[in-house]
Amino acid sequence: MIHKAQERIYLDYAATTPAAPEVVEAMLPWFAERFGNPLSVHALGQEAKRAIESARGRVAAFLGASSDEIVFTASGTESDNFALKGVVAAMADRGNHVITSTIEHHAVLETCRHLEDNGVLVTYLQVDDKGRIDPEDVRKAITDETVLISIMHANNEIGTIQPVTEIGTIAREYGIPFHTDAVQTVGHLPTRVDELGVDLLSASAHKFHGPKGAGFLYIRKGTRIEPLLHGGEQEKRRRASTHNVPAIVGLGKAIELASRDMVVEAQRITALRNRLIDGLLARDEGASLNGDRNRRLPNNVNICFDGTAAEALVVSLDMKGICCSAGSACTSITVEPSHVLMAIGVERAQAYGALRLSLGRGTTEAEIDRVLDILPGIVKRLRTS
Ligand code: PLP
């Protein structure tokens, strides 16, 4: 059970999830009581090492990988940086071209910009109006210089699930390492690495009821990669830094809970998601769904409300105790329309009215019905004000 803030309806699970009580309980002893450094030879160190290796084993089993293919990191962002910068550096003797998409998370896009600043060529593939990549476009973009393909598993804004398996088949045909940012899918959808056909996969614990500040990168055996952090011998020299033992233990527990609950939970959430989408579209003529109706994350609803500003919607909903996100990122000076909505061809004016509601483990039918009661009225009021 997830503890809920009183009366508050949380529909921002794509931004972060609460740590499950079992996760918090599993983490607690590792702060003060069992505080050893896993690199220490004594008993306290060795018990911390065993705890980390047990978490690693759970992650590996979840992905259908082996333990030595999992490197713990501090976040999804770090995992993405590690995958891109690490492979590009290690493969510099083979070429300097990377293929990605226009709708990746900034953790990938900004890393690509950094690589470009350092002389790497990056191809940003366009997506269709539902946010899908055509695998054949990946094939066409491959050159003799291509050293990495990085395409996300599912989009964090519009929820579109990419044809990762098909892209993986193409990558393998050409012998090019294939990375996927699976931050929005690990713990929610099947992510067996052999079925996806990926060589590298990023994940972040706080998106599946684990703690913040913990993630991992799966690296298929034989993949050439340079570390981001140099120093101690942790993670077989692939990621120096004293281990965050409580966070890694929490990540392991969260994966264990996901293995148990994921399939049933995905079905339950999908039904609630459809109820919310259908209800909002039926109640407001100016509402339109962004992304693919079916090939989308079980928990993602992203809707443009014509003639509104999503920021105002978010604030009005917050005043009613409903937490969600605007579809456009707020910068310090201006509100920029989301790069994802621009990429799928949404009009600029419409994109400002995009709202993302993301469901999760604590979401109930009663909550969805309350949102359906409240939101259309707020939209109408804002349109006429
Ligand atoms: N990639 C995707 C698709 C995400 O949704 C996020 C977080 O929103 C990240 C990467 C970054 O993960 P973290 O918050 O762990 O740095």
Side-chain angles (χ1 to χ4, degrees):
M1 274 295 291
I2 304 291
H3 292 302
K4 282 201 205 172
Q6 252 189 348
E7 303 277 330
R8 189 165 291 150
I9 298 178
Y10 184 74
L11 289 175
D12 206 12
Y13 286 89
T16 196
T17 64
E22 296 94 323
V23 166
V24 176
E25 196 188 331
M27 290 172 70
L28 284 176
W30 301 95
F31 284 100
E33 209 180 298
R34 312 172 99 181
F35 60 88
N37 182 329
L39 247 48
S40 299
V41 174
H42 51 66
L44 271 178
Q46 291 307 298
E47 71 171 4
K49 181 172 177 189
R50 280 194 298 277
I52 285 179
E53 293 316 317
S54 156
R56 200 188 307 280
R58 280 181 187 163
V59 172
F62 187 81
L63 299 178
S66 67
S67 284
D68 55 6
E69 294 176 310
I70 309 300
V71 175
F72 288 117
T73 65
S75 63
T77 301
E78 184 189 327
S79 300
D80 286 342
N81 271 262
F82 183 14
L84 275 89
K85 293 176 186 167
V87 170
V88 165
M91 301 279 285
D93 57 345
R94 278 271 311 273
N96 73 338
H97 176 232
V98 172
I99 299 170
T100 188
S101 83
T102 51
I103 66 162
E104 299 296 311
H105 188 273
H106 286 122
V108 167
L109 286 181
E110 291 301 314
T111 303
C112 284
R113 306 264 184 251
H114 170 81
L115 290 171
E116 284 183 294
D117 288 345
N118 288 280
V120 175
L121 297 170
V122 181
T123 300
Y124 299 90
L125 296 177
Q126 303 292 333
V127 293
D128 68 14
D129 61 355
K130 301 282 183 267
R132 294 260 299 181
I133 298 262
D134 180 348
E136 283 310 307
D137 287 348
V138 176
R139 185 193 297 280
K140 284 181 211 147
I142 292 173
T143 71
D144 290 346
E145 294 284 312
T146 310
V147 291
L148 182 66
I149 298 167
S150 180
I151 301 290
M152 71 200 315
H153 190 193
N155 185 268
N156 48 299
E157 291 188 34
I158 57 172
T160 302
I161 298 170
Q162 298 298 351
V164 166
T165 303
E166 289 86 331
I167 297 168
T169 304
I170 293 169
R172 185 143 308 165
E173 220 179 282
Y174 290 83
I176 298 167
F178 177 33
H179 166 249
T180 194
D181 174 341
V183 168
Q184 289 291 336
T185 51
V186 165
H188 303 286
L189 288 177
T191 45
R192 311 276 296 177
V193 287
D194 286 346
E195 282 161 28
L196 294 176
V198 296
D199 301 303
L200 304 115
L201 177 146
S202 300
S204 178
H206 76 99
K207 306 288 190 183
F208 55 92
H209 302 282
K212 291 169 185 59
F216 64 82
L217 180 66
Y218 157 78
I219 307 170
R220 187 178 292 277
K221 217 168 277 160
T223 307
R224 289 164 64 192
I225 187 162
E226 290 279 327
L228 275 189
L229 301 182
H230 300 86
E233 292 180 6
Q234 292 89 358
E235 301 294 288
K236 298 203 163 75
R237 289 198 164 277
R238 289 173 297 184
R239 201 266 185 183
S241 280
T242 300
H243 289 101
N244 184 346
V245 181
I248 293 170
V249 168
L251 187 159
K253 188 67 183 179
I255 277 281
E256 183 192 323
L257 298 176
S259 323
R260 191 190 68 192
D261 302 335
M262 188 173 78
V263 174
V264 173
E265 195 53 15
Q267 281 173 4
R268 190 184 76 86
I269 296 288
T270 301
L272 291 176
R273 176 201 74 189
N274 291 343
R275 186 183 182 87
L276 184 55
I277 292 174
D278 292 339
L280 289 173
L281 296 182
R283 283 167 178 76
D284 191 283
E285 281 189 358
S288 52
L289 181 69
N290 296 313
D292 196 296
R293 176 73 216 224
N294 300 311
R295 283 179 295 201
R296 75 187 298 132
L297 286 169
N299 75 336
N300 176 284
V301 177
N302 187 310
I303 288 187
C304 281
F305 292 98
D306 242 0
T308 65
E311 258 67 33
L313 278 174
V314 169
V315 171
S316 301
L317 285 166
D318 192 30
M319 278 155 57
K320 298 276 185 190
I322 299 168
C323 305
C324 63
S325 277
S328 288
C330 207
T331 69
S332 53
I333 312 164
T334 53
V335 178
E336 278 300 315
S338 136
H339 67 288
V340 178
L341 297 179
M342 293 294 96
I344 62 172
V346 174
E347 293 293 324
R348 225 180 153 80
Q350 258 203 319
Y352 287 120
L355 201 64
R356 182 187 70 181
L357 303 141
S358 46
L359 290 60
R361 217 179 267 177
T363 309
T364 63
E365 193 171 301
E367 288 185 340
I368 296 302
D369 288 345
R370 186 159 159 72
V371 174
L372 288 174
D373 277 346
I374 293 175
L375 179 51
I378 293 178
V379 169
K380 286 199 176 66
R381 190 161 47 74
L382 284 177
R383 262 198 205 118
T384 51
S385 64

PDB file of all heavy atoms in Angstrom, residues 53-67:
ATOM      1  N   GLU A  53      24.999  -6.893  -3.858  1.00  0.00           N
ATOM      2  CA  GLU A  53      24.998  -7.969  -4.858  1.00  0.00           C
ATOM      3  C   GLU A  53      23.630  -8.643  -4.947  1.00  0.00           C
ATOM      4  O   GLU A  53      23.226  -9.099  -6.014  1.00  0.00           O
ATOM      5  CB  GLU A  53      26.121  -8.984  -4.563  1.00  0.00           C
ATOM      6  CG  GLU A  53      27.522  -8.398  -4.735  1.00  0.00           C
ATOM      7  CD  GLU A  53      27.688  -7.550  -6.011  1.00  0.00           C
ATOM      8  OE1 GLU A  53      27.206  -7.953  -7.083  1.00  0.00           O
ATOM      9  OE2 GLU A  53      28.279  -6.445  -5.920  1.00  0.00           O
ATOM     10  N   SER A  54      22.924  -8.671  -3.838  1.00  0.00           N
ATOM     11  CA  SER A  54      21.583  -9.244  -3.871  1.00  0.00           C
ATOM     12  C   SER A  54      20.660  -8.348  -4.713  1.00  0.00           C
ATOM     13  O   SER A  54      19.877  -8.836  -5.539  1.00  0.00           O
ATOM     14  CB  SER A  54      21.099  -9.405  -2.427  1.00  0.00           C
ATOM     15  OG  SER A  54      19.718  -9.419  -2.383  1.00  0.00           O
ATOM     16  N   ALA A  55      20.772  -7.029  -4.538  1.00  0.00           N
ATOM     17  CA  ALA A  55      19.977  -6.098  -5.356  1.00  0.00           C
ATOM     18  C   ALA A  55      20.349  -6.237  -6.832  1.00  0.00           C
ATOM     19  O   ALA A  55      19.489  -6.261  -7.718  1.00  0.00           O
ATOM     20  CB  ALA A  55      20.214  -4.662  -4.892  1.00  0.00           C
ATOM     21  N   ARG A  56      21.628  -6.403  -7.091  1.00  0.00           N
ATOM     22  CA  ARG A  56      22.084  -6.536  -8.481  1.00  0.00           C
ATOM     23  C   ARG A  56      21.487  -7.804  -9.119  1.00  0.00           C
ATOM     24  O   ARG A  56      21.048  -7.799 -10.266  1.00  0.00           O
ATOM     25  CB  ARG A  56      23.618  -6.606  -8.504  1.00  0.00           C
ATOM     26  CG  ARG A  56      24.227  -6.270  -9.867  1.00  0.00           C
ATOM     27  CD  ARG A  56      25.727  -6.548  -9.911  1.00  0.00           C
ATOM     28  NE  ARG A  56      26.503  -5.937  -8.865  1.00  0.00           N
ATOM     29  CZ  ARG A  56      26.896  -4.656  -8.863  1.00  0.00           C
ATOM     30  NH1 ARG A  56      26.569  -3.877  -9.867  1.00  0.00           N
ATOM     31  NH2 ARG A  56      27.608  -4.170  -7.867  1.00  0.00           N
ATOM     32  N   GLY A  57      21.481  -8.867  -8.319  1.00  0.00           N
ATOM     33  CA  GLY A  57      20.922 -10.127  -8.817  1.00  0.00           C
ATOM     34  C   GLY A  57      19.445  -9.975  -9.173  1.00  0.00           C
ATOM     35  O   GLY A  57      18.972 -10.508 -10.176  1.00  0.00           O
ATOM     36  N   ARG A  58      18.723  -9.228  -8.339  1.00  0.00           N
ATOM     37  CA  ARG A  58      17.290  -9.017  -8.605  1.00  0.00           C
ATOM     38  C   ARG A  58      17.079  -8.225  -9.890  1.00  0.00           C
ATOM     39  O   ARG A  58      16.199  -8.532 -10.687  1.00  0.00           O
ATOM     40  CB  ARG A  58      16.654  -8.245  -7.454  1.00  0.00           C
ATOM     41  CG  ARG A  58      16.345  -9.132  -6.289  1.00  0.00           C
ATOM     42  CD  ARG A  58      15.705  -8.335  -5.188  1.00  0.00           C
ATOM     43  NE  ARG A  58      15.576  -9.172  -4.012  1.00  0.00           N
ATOM     44  CZ  ARG A  58      15.369  -8.723  -2.803  1.00  0.00           C
ATOM     45  NH1 ARG A  58      15.253  -7.434  -2.583  1.00  0.00           N
ATOM     46  NH2 ARG A  58      15.247  -9.547  -1.798  1.00  0.00           N
ATOM     47  N   VAL A  59      17.880  -7.191 -10.073  1.00  0.00           N
ATOM     48  CA  VAL A  59      17.759  -6.373 -11.295  1.00  0.00           C
ATOM     49  C   VAL A  59      18.074  -7.246 -12.507  1.00  0.00           C
ATOM     50  O   VAL A  59      17.345  -7.244 -13.508  1.00  0.00           O
ATOM     51  CB  VAL A  59      18.713  -5.155 -11.251  1.00  0.00           C
ATOM     52  CG1 VAL A  59      18.745  -4.429 -12.583  1.00  0.00           C
ATOM     53  CG2 VAL A  59      18.299  -4.193 -10.135  1.00  0.00           C
ATOM     54  N   ALA A  60      19.167  -8.012 -12.398  1.00  0.00           N
ATOM     55  CA  ALA A  60      19.583  -8.856 -13.526  1.00  0.00           C
ATOM     56  C   ALA A  60      18.477  -9.856 -13.876  1.00  0.00           C
ATOM     57  O   ALA A  60      18.132 -10.023 -15.051  1.00  0.00           O
ATOM     58  CB  ALA A  60      20.883  -9.578 -13.183  1.00  0.00           C
ATOM     59  N   ALA A  61      17.894 -10.492 -12.855  1.00  0.00           N
ATOM     60  CA  ALA A  61      16.836 -11.484 -13.113  1.00  0.00           C
ATOM     61  C   ALA A  61      15.650 -10.807 -13.785  1.00  0.00           C
ATOM     62  O   ALA A  61      15.043 -11.353 -14.717  1.00  0.00           O
ATOM     63  CB  ALA A  61      16.415 -12.134 -11.798  1.00  0.00           C
ATOM     64  N   PHE A  62      15.325  -9.599 -13.344  1.00  0.00           N
ATOM     65  CA  PHE A  62      14.187  -8.855 -13.900  1.00  0.00           C
ATOM     66  C   PHE A  62      14.385  -8.573 -15.389  1.00  0.00           C
ATOM     67  O   PHE A  62      13.446  -8.607 -16.179  1.00  0.00           O
ATOM     68  CB  PHE A  62      14.043  -7.540 -13.128  1.00  0.00           C
ATOM     69  CG  PHE A  62      12.817  -6.751 -13.467  1.00  0.00           C
ATOM     70  CD1 PHE A  62      11.590  -7.077 -12.911  1.00  0.00           C
ATOM     71  CD2 PHE A  62      12.888  -5.679 -14.338  1.00  0.00           C
ATOM     72  CE1 PHE A  62      10.451  -6.346 -13.217  1.00  0.00           C
ATOM     73  CE2 PHE A  62      11.753  -4.946 -14.662  1.00  0.00           C
ATOM     74  CZ  PHE A  62      10.536  -5.282 -14.094  1.00  0.00           C
ATOM     75  N   LEU A  63      15.631  -8.300 -15.764  1.00  0.00           N
ATOM     76  CA  LEU A  63      15.936  -7.946 -17.164  1.00  0.00           C
ATOM     77  C   LEU A  63      16.299  -9.170 -18.007  1.00  0.00           C
ATOM     78  O   LEU A  63      16.470  -9.051 -19.219  1.00  0.00           O
ATOM     79  CB  LEU A  63      17.111  -6.967 -17.221  1.00  0.00           C
ATOM     80  CG  LEU A  63      16.973  -5.614 -16.532  1.00  0.00           C
ATOM     81  CD1 LEU A  63      18.258  -4.820 -16.669  1.00  0.00           C
ATOM     82  CD2 LEU A  63      15.805  -4.814 -17.120  1.00  0.00           C
ATOM     83  N   GLY A  64      16.456 -10.331 -17.351  1.00  0.00           N
ATOM     84  CA  GLY A  64      16.946 -11.507 -18.073  1.00  0.00           C
ATOM     85  C   GLY A  64      18.409 -11.324 -18.456  1.00  0.00           C
ATOM     86  O   GLY A  64      18.854 -11.780 -19.504  1.00  0.00           O
ATOM     87  N   ALA A  65      19.159 -10.653 -17.579  1.00  0.00           N
ATOM     88  CA  ALA A  65      20.580 -10.379 -17.839  1.00  0.00           C
ATOM     89  C   ALA A  65      21.416 -11.110 -16.796  1.00  0.00           C
ATOM     90  O   ALA A  65      20.876 -11.820 -15.939  1.00  0.00           O
ATOM     91  CB  ALA A  65      20.814  -8.876 -17.743  1.00  0.00           C
ATOM     92  N   SER A  66      22.731 -10.943 -16.850  1.00  0.00           N
ATOM     93  CA  SER A  66      23.534 -11.510 -15.770  1.00  0.00           C
ATOM     94  C   SER A  66      24.037 -10.361 -14.890  1.00  0.00           C
ATOM     95  O   SER A  66      24.125  -9.207 -15.327  1.00  0.00           O
ATOM     96  CB  SER A  66      24.674 -12.383 -16.306  1.00  0.00           C
ATOM     97  OG  SER A  66      25.591 -11.585 -16.971  1.00  0.00           O
ATOM     98  N   SER A  67      24.354 -10.714 -13.637  1.00  0.00           N
ATOM     99  CA  SER A  67      24.656  -9.679 -12.634  1.00  0.00           C
ATOM    100  C   SER A  67      25.781  -8.749 -13.062  1.00  0.00           C
ATOM    101  O   SER A  67      25.727  -7.541 -12.799  1.00  0.00           O
ATOM    102  CB  SER A  67      25.021 -10.332 -11.305  1.00  0.00           C
ATOM    103  OG  SER A  67      23.864 -10.802 -10.694  1.00  0.00           O
TER     104      SER A  67
END
